[in-house]
Amino acid sequence: MRRLLLVRHAPTRATRSFAFPTDEPLDEQGRRAAVAFGAALGGGRQEALCSPRLRCRETALAANLSEARVVADLAECDFGSWAGRTLAELSATDPAGVSAWMTDPAAAPHGGESLSVFTARVGRWLDRQLELDGRAIAVTHGGVVKAVVVHALRAPLDTFWRIDVTPLAVTEIHSHDGRWTVSRMNSPC
């Protein structure tokens, strides 16, 4: 049986301003929160994984998961030209693009990954996890956690937009009989 704890990285300037992220570092408040998260997480044997993005690697390090293996498929969606911009700004300058992106899973008006391409990437990673045993903790992104939940539940893709994932919240899933069960979602450590 595989048990996965998925953790959204600690806060950054982009998460605080509701901006599409770049590869930004944690801010000081985020770093302190990641240290506290690591203390609450405690010890125990588990495999540690993380997204290649700086904010995830810094979260893992601050949370005492220094041996976390970087996994490319745990990276956030590629937001292309929208990186660093807020949704409010984009809604004012490109309302048709924002509308298309949020209603058409195949749309990629920003030049990055569409929702369907992004969730398929995460879904392939999750399917490979079914072949493994043991407990793993993955420090990743809100979008990845949402994609995991949608894939695990075999839910329609539009449910992606109805899931919230806060920084340093834990979502836990486990496998049995070739399928996933969601044990808890968006929980404090």
Side-chain angles (χ1 to χ4, degrees):
M1 181 169 77
R2 183 67 159 173
R3 183 171 300 277
L4 291 172
L5 300 176
L6 300 139
V7 178
R8 183 180 180 192
H9 61 80
T12 66
R13 185 185 60 75
T15 59
R16 292 184 202 291
S17 64
F18 302 102
F20 289 92
T22 59
D23 196 14
E24 75 277 3
L26 299 180
D27 58 22
E28 190 54 41
Q29 187 176 349
R31 192 167 284 103
R32 285 192 306 271
V35 168
F37 173 81
L41 191 60
R45 280 184 64 90
Q46 60 196 354
E47 179 182 6
L49 312 168
C50 78
S51 160
R53 300 299 181 253
L54 181 60
R55 58 196 175 275
C56 294
R57 289 183 286 121
E58 288 184 350
T59 298
L61 186 62
N64 203 25
L65 298 169
S66 58
E67 295 183 19
R69 180 171 49 92
V70 172
V71 177
D73 286 334
L74 291 175
E76 180 63 283
C77 183
D78 174 359
F79 294 114
S81 64
W82 289 1
R85 300 174 70 190
T86 67
L87 187 56
E89 174 189 351
L90 290 166
S91 293
T93 60
D94 187 11
V98 171
S99 177
W101 185 62
M102 295 188 76
T103 59
D104 178 3
H110 45 57
E113 288 177 297
S114 68
L115 183 61
S116 59
V117 167
F118 168 63
T119 56
R121 168 172 53 88
V122 174
R124 285 188 302 273
W125 172 80
L126 189 60
D127 289 344
R128 290 190 303 272
Q129 295 299 302
L130 282 170
E131 301 167 8
L132 304 174
D133 287 319
R135 180 176 151 152
I137 183 167
V139 179
T140 188
H141 308 272
V144 172
V145 175
K146 292 163 60 162
V148 162
V149 170
V150 168
H151 188 79
L153 297 176
R154 298 180 182 154
L157 196 50
D158 67 342
T159 58
F160 180 93
W161 302 114
R162 297 185 184 106
I163 300 170
D164 283 332
V165 182
T166 57
L168 297 173
V170 175
T171 295
E172 182 175 359
I173 65 173
H174 66 273
S175 67
H176 58 88
D177 299 326
R179 67 180 194 276
W180 293 102
T181 298
V182 177
S183 303
R184 62 180 161 145
M185 206 176 142
N186 207 30
S187 300
C189 181

